[in-house]
């Protein structure tokens, strides 16, 4: 196994984490808990990728599933923030473009992992 930060998907999520950190700094005071949740879930996603990279077979698939759960949570929080007008529609669009790319990479990685076990 190579290092997680050698993976394109890890680097893409790391860039997204920087964007989330910048974005969360602009949240109104009454929504700071949402900003912190966004940051935490983003770093959970990075942890999931790192752990998946260290494992093989069904254990890897398990961490990729955990990534999907965390990433879905991230998308949901951002969607709610957009509806509350905490996050602009333009920022949400940027996130959705990034998340589609990341989602394809994770799906491909999981598919390859499951095919290796057959």
């Amino acid at each position: 196994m190579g290092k997680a930060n050698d993976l394109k998907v890890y680097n893409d999520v790391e860039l997204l984490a920087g964007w989330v950190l910048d974005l969360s700094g602009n949240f109104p005071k009454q929504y700071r808990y949402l900003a912190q949740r966004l940051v935490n879930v983003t770093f959970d996603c990075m942890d999931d990728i790192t752990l998946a990279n260290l494992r093989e077979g069904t254990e890897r698939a398990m961490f990729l599933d955990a990534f999907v759960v965390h990433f879905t949570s991230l998308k949901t929080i951002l969607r709610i923030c957009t509806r509350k007008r905490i996050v602009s529609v333009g920022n949400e669009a940027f996130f959705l473009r990034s998340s589609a790319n990341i989602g394809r990479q994770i799906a491909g990685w999981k598919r390859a992992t499951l095919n290796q076990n057959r």
Side-chain angles (χ1 to χ4, degrees):
M1 287 303 117
K3 292 186 271 182
N5 60 356
D6 291 338
L7 299 171
K8 182 178 179 347
V9 68
Y10 183 88
N11 291 322
D12 289 349
V13 174
E14 186 178 332
L15 288 173
L16 193 63
W19 177 82
V20 165
L21 282 170
D22 292 341
L23 182 72
S24 66
N26 298 323
F27 274 43
K29 190 173 185 176
Q30 71 264 30
Y31 294 111
R32 291 289 180 194
Y33 66 94
L34 278 176
Q36 189 59 53
R37 179 78 176 128
L38 275 174
V39 170
N40 290 342
V41 171
T42 303
F43 285 103
D44 289 343
C45 289
M46 293 174 71
D47 291 344
D48 294 333
I49 292 169
T50 300
L51 290 166
N53 192 49
L54 294 172
R55 304 295 197 275
E56 293 181 6
T58 56
E59 286 185 349
R60 176 176 286 167
M62 181 181 70
F63 286 110
L64 293 174
D65 285 341
F67 174 88
V68 170
V69 169
H70 286 124
F71 206 62
T72 300
S73 179
L74 182 62
K75 289 191 269 189
T76 302
I77 295 166
L78 270 166
R79 190 170 51 250
I80 291 167
C81 289
T82 303
R83 286 185 190 147
K84 290 284 195 183
R85 295 190 173 113
I86 302 166
V87 173
S88 72
V89 173
N91 277 326
E92 184 186 30
F94 168 79
F95 173 78
L96 291 174
R97 284 190 303 275
S98 298
S99 68
N101 182 36
I102 291 166
R104 280 191 298 273
Q105 291 177 71
I106 292 295
W109 194 10
K110 185 172 179 187
R111 196 170 32 257
T113 297
L114 293 175
N115 286 338
Q116 286 176 345
N117 292 337
R118 291 183 182 186

